[in-house]
Amino acid sequence: MLSVAGFILFAVNQNKGETVRITVGSTIYGEYPLSSNRTVKVKADGGFNTVKIHDGKVSVTDADCRDKYCVHQGEIESGSIVCLPHKLVVDITADTNNIDAVVN
């Protein structure tokens, strides 16, 4: 029973993101604290995306891709936003240096 409680604690804390990682293809474009308020214009594969970090959330506010699925996804507090035409991935990641729980 204690192992199950430890796993649940670990799984819940793992979802708390602290860093926004922007990747284009296999290259990390930049990493920014989720607590910062900034706008990043990303020159991607054949175009651009505008990533906004504000109030602990991140969104793609503009893109010159045809479908604009990344823009329509809106703001996220966890998870990822993907723009396939530009090979852009915006991830909210946990701080791996700050481990909250270990499960055996």
Side-chain angles (χ1 to χ4, degrees):
M1 183 66 153
L2 185 58
S3 296
V4 173
F7 177 74
I8 291 170
L9 176 65
F10 179 74
V12 169
N13 285 331
Q14 189 175 9
N15 290 333
K16 289 185 177 181
E18 298 174 358
T19 303
V20 176
R21 178 181 293 151
I22 301 172
T23 308
V24 178
S26 60
T27 304
I28 295 175
Y29 189 88
E31 292 183 330
Y32 309 94
L34 187 59
S35 60
S36 68
N37 291 329
R38 69 177 66 213
T39 300
V40 181
K41 187 149 184 173
V42 180
K43 293 180 183 176
D45 189 33
F48 77 89
N49 296 77
T50 304
V51 178
K52 181 179 178 184
I53 305 167
H54 188 71
D55 293 336
K57 299 176 185 174
V58 64
S59 61
V60 175
T61 58
D62 193 17
D64 66 348
C65 55
R66 191 173 44 192
D67 55 24
K68 298 194 188 303
Y69 289 137
C70 53
V71 175
H72 297 304
Q73 189 168 347
E75 294 181 328
I76 62 169
E77 296 180 64
S78 64
S80 302
I81 299 173
V82 177
C83 178
L84 288 177
H86 295 157
K87 300 176 185 170
L88 174 90
V89 178
V90 179
D91 280 316
I92 297 178
T93 62
D95 182 0
T96 55
N97 295 325
N98 186 11
I99 298 174
D100 292 315
V102 176
V103 177
N104 292 330

